[in-house]
Amino acid sequence: MGFFANCRVAEPFLTPYLIGPHKNISEEVVTNYLFPIWTYSYLVLLFPVFLLTDFLRHKPLIVVQGLFLVTNYVLLSFAPGLPAMILLQVNYAVVTSTEVAYFSYIYSVIPVENYQRATGYLRSAMLAGYTIGASLGQVLVSLAGLDYFYINTFTLGIVSTAFLISFWLPMPQRSLFFKGEKAAAQVLQPQQEEPEEPVVEKDEAGSGKEKMEHNGSAGWCSRENVATAGYLLWQNFRESYSSRTLVCWSLWWALATAGYVQIFNYIQLMWDHIEPSATSSIYNGGVEAACSLVGAAAAFSVGHIKVTWAVWGELALGMFSAIATGAVFLMALTSSIWACYAGYVIFKSCYMFLITITTFQIASNLSSECYALTFGINTFVALSLQTIITFVVVDEAVLGLDIVTQFIIYGSYYAIISVLFLIRGTFTACKNQRKPEHPETTEKESSVEVIFAEQSFEKAQQHNKAAITSTLKFMS
C-alpha cells in the first residue's frame, strides 16, 4: 500500500495546476489564503487522530486515509471553483494527519525482533513510490506533453489501488495505550485480588447464561482502560523528556521540521515566481525525484560515518543548518530557476541528513514504547510552530507577504537555528573534550570516556537502520 499511496504523479505539479486554466486561481490567493487552510486543519486534527489511531487499532484509520486520498484527487480532477479547493485543503489535512496510523501500523502486527527489517521494507516502498511518481510525472509533462488534468486522473487511479489494498490488511490485536479492560486493570492494580466468579442469571426459558461483572463500563471505553491510557501516556512523556540532551535534540527536530515543511509547501510557488509555468517548461518532478535520491543517500551515509554523535552531533546540527540557511537565501534571492533548484536539493539533503542523526539519537536513548509518543509530540510542536509562522507571515489576515519575502524570513529563521546549535554544539564538544584537572586520574578517566563513547556509538548503530529509514516519511 505504501508504494501506491506515495506514487502521486501529479503532486510536484500541484501549484501550476491550481493557478493554470483548469482552476484559474491567482498566485496570491493560493499563497496567502488557500494553503494556510491545510496547515490550520492539520494542527486541529493531528493529536485527536493520534489517540484515535491507537484506540481503533490502526487499520480503520488507514482505510480512512485511503478513502480521503481518493477523494483528494476526485476534487482536484473534477470539482471546479475556489470553495471546492478549500474543501480539498481540509480533505488533505485528514490524509496527512492519518499518516501516523500507517507509520505505526506495522509495529502492531509483527514481533519486536522484526521491527528493523520491517521498517526498512516500509520506508523503501514509500521512497520508491514517491521517486517513481515524481519521475513519471516529469516524463509525462516534458516528453509526452500530457495535460495536468490527465496526470491528476492517472494519479487518482494509482491511489485508488492503495485504497483497495487497505481492506486486505490484517487487523492488529493490540494497541499501545488502550490495552483493554483486563490489561488495564493489571497496569493500574498490579496486586489485583482474585477475579470474581461469573454470575449466573436465568432467562425466561430457564436456561442459564453467564455474565462477568466488571467495575465500570466494559470494553475499550471502560474507566480502567481510559485511566491506563492516561497513565501510560504520562509515564512515557516523563521518560522521553527527562533528559536535557533529549530535550535539545527534540528542540532541533521541532524547529527545523517547522521550517522544512513550510519551505516544502511553498517551494512550487517560488519556482513559478522565478519562471512562470505558463511560459516555459518546468522540471518540478525531476527535481523532487533528485531530492529523494540525494536526500536518501545523505541519510544513509549517517550509518557509515564513524563519529561519536553524542559528542559532535549538536555541532553538526549547527553547521549543516548554516548550509541549509545559505541554500534558503539562494532560493529567495536568485533569478535563475536552476540555481533555485540546486538550492532546494542542498536544503532538502541537509535536512534529511540531520533529521536522521536526530532520530537515532533520540531513539537510542528511549525504550521502544516511547517512540510513538515522543515523535508524535515533536511533530505536534513542529506543526504548532509552522502554524504560527503561516498565520503571521503567509495569511492575508496578518502580513500576507509575497513569496520572495517569505523565503527571506524562512532563511532568517534557519539562521537563528544554526546559531543556537553552533553555540550549544561548541559547548558540548568542548565539555566532552576537556582534559581532567588532576594528572594522576588522566589515564583512568580517558579510558572511561573511550569506553562510554564506544558504548554510545554501538548503541546508536543498533538503532541506526530503523532510524534512517523512518526519516524518509518526511519526503512524502
Side-chain angles (χ1 to χ4, degrees):
M1 177 184 173
F3 175 86
F4 292 103
N6 287 274
C7 190
R8 306 172 192 173
V9 179
E11 189 168 278
F13 306 97
L14 174 62
T15 297
Y17 181 65
L18 292 176
I19 65 179
H22 292 286
K23 301 302 177 183
N24 199 27
I25 302 174
S26 69
E27 182 177 324
E28 291 74 17
V29 172
V30 172
T31 305
N32 304 125
Y33 178 73
L34 200 57
F35 283 178
I37 294 174
W38 169 82
T39 303
Y40 304 149
S41 303
Y42 188 13
L43 179 65
V44 171
L45 291 169
L46 182 61
F47 190 70
V49 168
F50 172 77
L51 294 178
L52 194 61
T53 296
D54 194 59
F55 182 76
L56 296 178
R57 289 179 289 170
H58 308 276
K59 181 178 176 178
L61 272 297
I62 295 177
V63 175
V64 168
Q65 182 191 31
L67 175 62
F68 275 78
L69 192 56
V70 170
T71 307
N72 192 73
Y73 282 94
V74 170
L75 290 171
L76 267 176
S77 300
F78 304 110
L82 184 60
M85 295 303 98
I86 294 174
L87 178 60
L88 170 73
Q89 297 302 312
V90 178
N91 184 90
Y92 190 62
V94 176
V95 174
T96 52
S97 63
T98 50
E99 284 179 350
V100 65
Y102 177 74
F103 292 129
S104 57
Y105 165 80
I106 190 68
Y107 304 113
S108 63
V109 295
I110 62 171
V112 176
E113 59 268 20
N114 295 332
Y115 276 13
Q116 182 168 316
R117 181 180 300 177
T119 301
Y121 293 154
L122 180 73
R123 306 305 178 187
S124 298
M126 294 176 61
L127 174 62
Y130 189 81
T131 304
I132 291 174
S135 302
L136 181 59
Q138 189 63 60
V139 169
L140 293 176
V141 169
S142 298
L143 299 182
L146 202 64
D147 188 83
Y148 292 139
F149 170 78
Y150 296 107
I151 294 178
N152 276 282
T153 55
F154 182 62
T155 308
L156 174 61
I158 295 176
V159 298
S160 297
T161 303
F163 174 55
L164 295 176
I165 292 175
S166 68
F167 287 99
W168 273 268
L169 295 175
M171 185 72 177
Q173 299 302 313
R174 60 188 174 89
S175 63
L176 182 60
F177 301 115
F178 295 92
K179 296 181 174 295
E181 187 176 6
K182 183 177 179 180
Q186 292 175 351
V187 171
L188 293 177
Q189 299 178 8
Q191 305 299 327
Q192 195 178 27
E193 297 179 355
E194 292 296 322
E196 299 176 5
E197 293 295 327
V199 177
V200 179
E201 295 182 355
K202 297 287 185 178
D203 57 17
E204 294 179 357
S207 60
K209 61 180 181 179
E210 293 185 352
K211 286 186 178 180
M212 179 67 74
E213 293 185 352
H214 303 283
N215 293 325
S217 58
W220 290 97
C221 294
S222 68
R223 181 166 34 185
E224 291 88 348
N225 196 23
V226 174
T228 302
Y231 174 79
L232 291 174
L233 282 167
W234 174 243
Q235 289 297 107
N236 289 350
F237 178 83
R238 289 182 60 185
E239 179 181 343
S240 300
Y241 298 99
S242 59
S243 166
R244 289 185 178 181
T245 302
L246 287 179
V247 171
C248 183
W249 289 102
S250 295
L251 179 63
W252 184 90
W253 173 305
L255 291 173
T257 300
Y260 166 77
V261 176
Q262 194 72 1
I263 291 171
F264 177 81
N265 285 346
Y266 291 90
I267 186 61
Q268 290 186 31
L269 287 161
M270 174 58 76
W271 292 337
D272 193 81
H273 172 79
I274 295 174
E275 193 159 331
S277 56
T279 60
S280 63
S281 299
I282 60 173
Y283 300 94
N284 297 5
V287 174
E288 289 290 358
C291 284
S292 298
L293 296 176
V294 176
F300 184 77
S301 67
V302 174
H304 299 274
I305 300 175
K306 295 185 177 180
V307 173
T308 307
W309 295 110
V311 177
W312 301 104
E314 293 174 2
L315 190 60
L317 294 179
M319 294 174 62
F320 282 92
S321 293
I323 297 174
T325 300
V328 177
F329 278 122
L330 174 64
M331 289 185 277
L333 301 176
T334 187
S335 58
S336 168
I337 188 63
W338 292 105
C340 190
Y341 284 155
Y344 181 65
V345 173
I346 294 171
F347 168 78
K348 195 165 185 176
S349 301
C350 288
Y351 176 80
M352 289 300 160
F353 180 76
L354 295 179
I355 199 67
T356 303
I357 300 172
T358 305
T359 299
F360 82 74
Q361 279 297 307
I362 293 175
S364 62
N365 290 279
L366 288 176
S367 62
S368 59
E369 291 80 5
C370 296
Y371 292 172
L373 180 64
T374 304
F375 296 157
I377 291 176
N378 290 348
T379 303
F380 181 78
V381 173
L383 184 58
S384 300
L385 290 171
Q386 186 207 346
T387 302
I388 294 172
I389 295 172
T390 300
F391 180 71
V392 175
V393 176
V394 181
D395 200 309
E396 63 181 5
V398 186
L399 296 179
L401 300 176
D402 63 89
I403 193 66
V404 174
T405 308
Q406 286 182 37
F407 269 69
I408 292 175
I409 292 176
Y410 302 154
S412 303
Y413 173 83
Y414 257 91
I416 295 172
I417 295 175
S418 65
V419 170
L420 288 175
F421 281 87
L422 281 171
I423 295 173
R424 168 74 183 182
T426 302
F427 173 78
T428 301
C430 291
K431 181 180 178 181
N432 282 276
Q433 295 298 311
R434 187 174 53 193
K435 295 182 178 180
E437 296 181 0
H438 302 289
E440 63 272 13
T441 63
T442 300
E443 183 177 352
K444 180 178 179 181
E445 293 187 3
S446 298
S447 300
V448 171
E449 288 179 359
V450 170
I451 293 172
F452 176 77
E454 291 177 348
Q455 291 175 342
S456 299
F457 180 75
E458 290 175 359
K459 189 176 182 182
Q461 286 293 85
Q462 293 174 359
H463 294 270
N464 192 19
K465 184 177 179 181
I468 287 172
T469 53
S470 70
T471 60
L472 298 180
K473 71 180 181 180
F474 294 100
M475 303 168 69
S476 61

